[in-house]
């Protein structure tokens, strides 16, 4: 008997909702323009554009926000490129802002669309300027439209007025970046935001989980969200409680599951590759990377489990600032995809804490620490040698001469307890930074002997700002050895 043909990827998402009110769609022209530039879109990509680019009778977008949640390597970049080409050359959107969690990711996206445009004579002749340097990466047309590429942070994008925001790698999207980018569309008559990413991986993406919950609530209620178009290719995996032969959930090694979660299966991704990946990866990793099974932030009802929101908010004081000697602390996520630097100092008989910096990756930390050391001359730096930022200690000490204090295991628990008690005693102050509030909202405890410490995994949120702030506060009370020249003891 001839072998059965291998399954193609399912072109429609498992989880889907979209605003019901629309009159037409601008997608067909976008698809044709992409084809002119040599970008042939798969049916599922065209489907996303068709719904995401629907317009109401008044000419405004039907969906203010569009979110595409699909496993890696399926071609979400093609959707981004087609939407950006349409924004530049068809819709005349004045400013398009393309952001990613790291600038190198944004730069790759720039190179791809730059190649499409410059390889198409009809488009190339409409380009006025291309910049690709350390200060700006952009494409500007002779008619004034501009496409800007940036890395997300708490300040990036502020001051711009964007018609379209493309938020790539949305699983690494936190409240600080949203706070910088959302106001850029507030004064635009017809703005649109596109979020594109893969299953939540326990990083800082509060926003992807928030959008997903909105979609699930709309599906459960049977009432479409009036402003959100949400597309998710994923499986509903088996759980420990599933009986043998369960047909209500999806199996990791089942090609039907692969097709359900990978719309480009048979187009970009082969069955052979997924078979090999399934055999080589652990089940949890394969489900996350290729089946769209993610760890998302907790629901709002399950947040603020350790320290109450009211207790934390009551300690906010806009005018608070560290007085006198300060301590800096560094921490990072377990995946080292984000790092934070916190500062602690005395203020009005208590302690002031603040997040000084929080950025993607780890490569920026040492250079930033060098400048902060020279400017502020802190009492010490605190870095947990057993934590994700421990790899930085040697470089900080040997190359920069920075004094680093590393808490022992019992001191890690002591630091968490001191932070908790300071909130209870109202002896701590802060400036109500969203980044720190988000970390506290999703923070959980992990047992550490007879005490506890902050749980780095399982909460679905980046708690590196919280751990850094906790350690910085602890550092104010720790003994720090002075640098003494041994020869001084001779005389």
């Amino acid at each position: 008997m001839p072998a059965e043909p291998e399954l193609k990827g399912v072109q429609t998402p498992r989880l889907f909702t979209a605003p019901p009110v629309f009159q037409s769609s601008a997608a067909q022209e976008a698809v044709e323009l992409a084809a002119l530039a040599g970008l042939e879109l798969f049916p599922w990509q065209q489907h996303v554009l068709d719904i995401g680019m629907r317009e109401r009778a008044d000419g405004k977008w039907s969906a203010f926000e569009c979110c595409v949640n699909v496993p890696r390597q399926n071609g979400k970049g093609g959707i981004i490129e087609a939407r950006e080409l349409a924004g530049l050359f068809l819709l005349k959107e004045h400013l398009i802002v393309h952001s990613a969690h790291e600038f190198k990711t944004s730069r790759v996206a720039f190179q791809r669309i730059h190649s499409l445009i410059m390889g198409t004579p009809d488009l190339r002749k409409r380009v006025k300027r291309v910049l690709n340097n350390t200060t700006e990466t952009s494409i500007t047309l002779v008619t004034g439209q501009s496409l800007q590429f940036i890395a997300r942070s708490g300040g990036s994008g502020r001051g711009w007025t964007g018609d379209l925001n493309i938020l790539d790698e949305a699983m690494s999207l936190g409240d600080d970046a949203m706070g910088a980018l959302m106001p850029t569309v507030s004064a635009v008559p017809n703005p649109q935001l596109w979020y594109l990413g893969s299953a939540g991986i326990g990083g800082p993406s509060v926003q992807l989980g928030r959008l997903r919950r909105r979609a699930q609530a709309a599906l459960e209620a049977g009432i479409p969200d009036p402003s959100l178009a949400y597309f998710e290719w994923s499986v509903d995996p088996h759980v420990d409680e599933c009986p043998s032969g369960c047909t209500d959930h999806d199996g990791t090694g089942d090609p039907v599951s692969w097709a359900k979660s990978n719309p480009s299966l048979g187009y970009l991704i082969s069955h052979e590759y997924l078979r090999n990946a399934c055999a080589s990866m652990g089940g949890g990793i394969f489900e996350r990377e290729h089946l769209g099974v993610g760890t998302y932030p907790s629901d709002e009802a399950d947040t603020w489990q350790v320290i109450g929101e009211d207790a934390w908010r009551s300690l906010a004081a806009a005018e608070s600032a560290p007085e006198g000697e300060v301590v800096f602390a560094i921490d990072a996520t377990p995946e080292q995809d984000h790092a934070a630097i916190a500062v602690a100092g005395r203020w009005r008989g208590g302690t002031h804490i603040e997040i000084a910096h929080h950025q993607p990756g780890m490569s920026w930390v040492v250079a930033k620490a060098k400048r902060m050391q020279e400017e502020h001359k802190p009492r010490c730096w605190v870095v947990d040698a057993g934590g994700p930022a421990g790899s930085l200690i040697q470089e900080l000490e040997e190359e920069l001469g920075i004094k680093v204090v590393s808490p022992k295991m019992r001191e890690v628990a002591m630091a968490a307890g001191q932070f908790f008690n300071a909130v209870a005693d109202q002896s701590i102050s802060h400036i109500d930074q969203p980044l720190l509030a988000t970390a506290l909202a999703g923070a959980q405890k992990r047992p550490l002997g007879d005490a506890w410490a902050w749980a780095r995994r399982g909460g679905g949120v980046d708690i590196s700002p919280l751990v850094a702030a906790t350690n910085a506060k602890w550092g104010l009370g720790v003994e720090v050895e002075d640098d003494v020249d041994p020869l001084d003891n001779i005389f």
Side-chain angles (χ1 to χ4, degrees), residues 3 31 45 115 176 196 256-257 279 296 329:
V31 171
Q45 296 169 318
S115 178
D176 56 333
L196 300 102
V256 173
S257 299
Y296 296 96

Side-chain angles (χ1 to χ4, degrees), residues 431-455:
I431 55 174
D432 205 16
Q433 293 171 290
L435 188 66
L436 193 50
T438 297
L440 265 168
Q444 298 177 10
K445 295 180 179 180
R446 63 179 173 92
L448 198 61
D450 294 331
W452 61 273
W454 298 116

Side-chain angles (χ1 to χ4, degrees), residues 30 85 94 114 120 128 166 207 326 362 428 437 457 472:
L85 287 172
H94 184 71
H114 176 262
T120 309
K128 177 182 180 180
I166 301 290
Q207 188 65 12
V326 299
M362 299 276 285
I428 198 168
R457 297 184 183 274

